[in-house]
Amino acid sequence: MPVGHPTGMISSWFVSDLVMPRDDAKANHIIQAVAGSTIEKSREFVATYLKGAPSASAQPAVYGSYDGVYNDPNVDCVYIGSPHAFHKRHCLAAIAAGKNVLCEKSFALSAQEAREVFAAAEAKGVYVAEAIWLRHRPLVADLRRILYEDKAIGDVFRTTADFKMYMDIANAPPTSRYKDLSLGAGSLLDIGVYVLNWALLTLDPGVPDHPETPVVKAVQSFDASGTIEVTTSAVLRFASSGRQGVITCSTEQRQRGKSSVIVTVDGTDGFVEVEGSVPSHPQSFTVYPAWTGDEKPAGRKYDYARPQQGFIYEADNTALDLAAGRKQSPIMPWAETVRVLEIMDDIRQQGGSTYPHEKKA
């Protein structure tokens, strides 16, 4: 799959995964073009992250603006790894140029922005998908099978998930995106999106084809200035089953340890603990029987650790989608991206966090 990239931290991780040798490749990914805010940044990106890449990806075209990637005839699909406040703009520009798009999470600032992007994609006839790498991991597919096909822990009734990432917002420079509401500052869109996805994936067996929208109750806390949301807590309840999700995120605390329990799924006959460094990086999960005594019961561990960080799965699935002529990802279709954003819109409305353009509307 010939790919073009705007540069940035997430893009560097994505590219590193694409060019790392592996034995189970489902697609051949070629980095055809790289673009940054300046030509110097683009060249530095290539020198740093494509130095050891296979020859087909080692010498991409280098541009000093994103338009170069959008208009490059050798690019089949544009990967957008810019901050989420720019996603709508960058997606629309790529779509207008007739490019397929894989765009990082959070896909947009709001559900309405996502709808605008998908409407443009439908009109142009191009593929667009949200690059929520969690959804594409084999670990997640296997866990859902164990929960809802094998029913290994009986009837699922609750999921808890917490994401902590200390960002020291008080001491960040004024130019930091973590302080800029116009760029979507706050913990929810940066890291809360992961715990929300965990709740939906483990509590809603209808994902993604026949999803159920849960009732949400949420609260948020803000930094000393009273403007930047730094902690969000929400309870989700699915009316058809009574299942509940308790999700929390905060930029005021660090995750503890290199590997810990990041998600817990409770069932009537047992429970599952998902282990990893943070909820975006699950490495394994352990299935336990019901805890009836004083000691934690023995469980069965399923390990998915590997050299790549996990971006390769979404890249492979995108390539397979394009080869099959699909315009949406069957793993993360447009309606599911909109549903996630609608829930986050609801959480923000209840919690009191708004962006400048929303206040003017």
Side-chain angles (χ1 to χ4, degrees):
M1 179 178 70
V3 183
H5 296 267
T7 61
M9 181 184 71
I10 295 296
S11 293
S12 70
W13 292 350
F14 185 88
V15 166
S16 297
D17 263 18
L18 258 62
V19 301
M20 186 179 294
R22 58 192 175 115
D23 297 326
D24 59 346
K26 296 181 180 179
N28 180 31
H29 305 282
I30 301 172
I31 313 301
Q32 293 281 15
V34 171
S37 56
T38 67
I39 193 72
E40 290 76 16
K41 288 184 178 180
S42 300
R43 288 170 178 161
E44 181 181 356
F45 183 93
V46 170
T48 302
Y49 300 107
L50 295 180
K51 182 170 52 179
S55 57
S57 290
Q59 299 297 325
V62 178
Y63 298 103
S65 73
Y66 298 148
D67 287 340
V69 166
Y70 304 152
N71 296 315
D72 192 314
N74 295 316
V75 171
D76 287 345
C77 183
V78 175
Y79 171 79
I80 294 175
S82 54
H84 35 245
F86 299 122
H87 287 175
K88 174 187 169 183
R89 180 196 313 172
H90 293 162
C91 282
L92 291 177
I95 291 167
K99 298 301 186 189
N100 301 299
V101 175
L102 179 62
C103 179
E104 262 304 331
K105 64 81 202 167
S106 290
F107 186 80
L109 290 181
S110 65
Q112 180 55 39
E113 286 194 353
R115 293 188 194 99
E116 292 177 39
V117 172
F118 294 142
E122 184 174 25
K124 196 71 173 180
V126 297
Y127 175 94
V128 174
E130 180 179 10
I132 178 73
W133 59 337
L134 183 63
R135 295 253 180 168
H136 293 266
R137 289 176 180 266
L139 179 153
V140 169
D142 290 347
L143 175 58
R144 281 172 54 80
R145 174 181 54 78
I146 285 171
L147 292 177
Y148 289 105
E149 293 181 26
D150 301 346
K151 296 188 178 296
I153 61 170
D155 294 328
V156 173
F157 64 84
R158 185 179 67 160
T159 289
T160 56
D162 179 40
F163 199 148
K164 296 184 285 286
M165 181 177 288
Y166 184 61
M167 293 181 177
D168 194 16
I169 292 174
N171 294 313
T175 55
S176 170
R177 76 175 183 88
Y178 299 120
K179 281 188 171 180
D180 192 340
L181 281 176
S182 68
L183 298 183
S187 74
L188 181 61
L189 266 66
D190 262 319
I191 58 178
V193 64
Y194 286 112
V195 290
L196 173 57
N197 271 276
W198 272 115
L200 297 177
L201 288 164
T202 56
L203 296 172
D204 187 355
V207 169
D209 299 319
H210 305 288
E212 177 183 351
T213 298
V215 174
V216 178
K217 300 295 182 182
V219 293
Q220 294 182 311
S221 298
F222 297 81
D223 69 349
S225 71
T227 58
I228 307 301
E229 172 265 313
V230 293
T231 301
T232 289
S233 300
V235 177
L236 287 65
R237 184 181 186 277
F238 291 84
S240 66
S241 61
R243 298 187 184 106
Q244 294 184 20
V246 180
I247 59 173
T248 52
C249 61
S250 179
T251 54
E252 295 284 274
Q253 184 59 270
R254 299 185 191 279
Q255 205 81 19
R256 296 175 178 86
K258 292 184 178 180
S259 183
S260 59
V261 176
I262 53 177
V263 179
T264 300
V265 185
D266 293 316
T268 53
D269 298 327
F271 61 100
V272 174
E273 292 181 343
V274 182
E275 301 95 11
S277 55
V278 287
S280 59
H281 287 67
Q283 297 172 341
S284 61
F285 65 85
T286 305
V287 181
Y288 295 93
W291 193 330
T292 56
D294 294 332
E295 301 294 328
K296 187 176 185 178
R300 180 181 177 184
K301 186 173 183 178
Y302 298 78
D303 197 341
Y304 295 80
R306 59 174 298 154
Q308 288 91 357
Q309 294 200 54
F311 290 95
I312 198 62
Y313 304 119
E314 67 186 23
D316 281 356
N317 287 336
T318 297
L320 295 174
D321 287 344
L322 294 178
R326 301 186 188 101
K327 302 305 180 185
Q328 299 186 36
S329 163
I331 292 175
M332 193 64 176
W334 296 350
E336 185 65 357
T337 288
V338 169
R339 179 175 77 135
V340 169
L341 283 164
E342 284 177 339
I343 294 173
M344 292 202 292
D345 288 349
D346 189 3
I347 290 172
R348 288 194 301 108
Q349 184 176 27
Q350 292 185 45
S353 59
T354 56
Y355 304 128
H357 71 279
E358 294 173 324
K359 295 176 182 178
K360 296 176 184 177

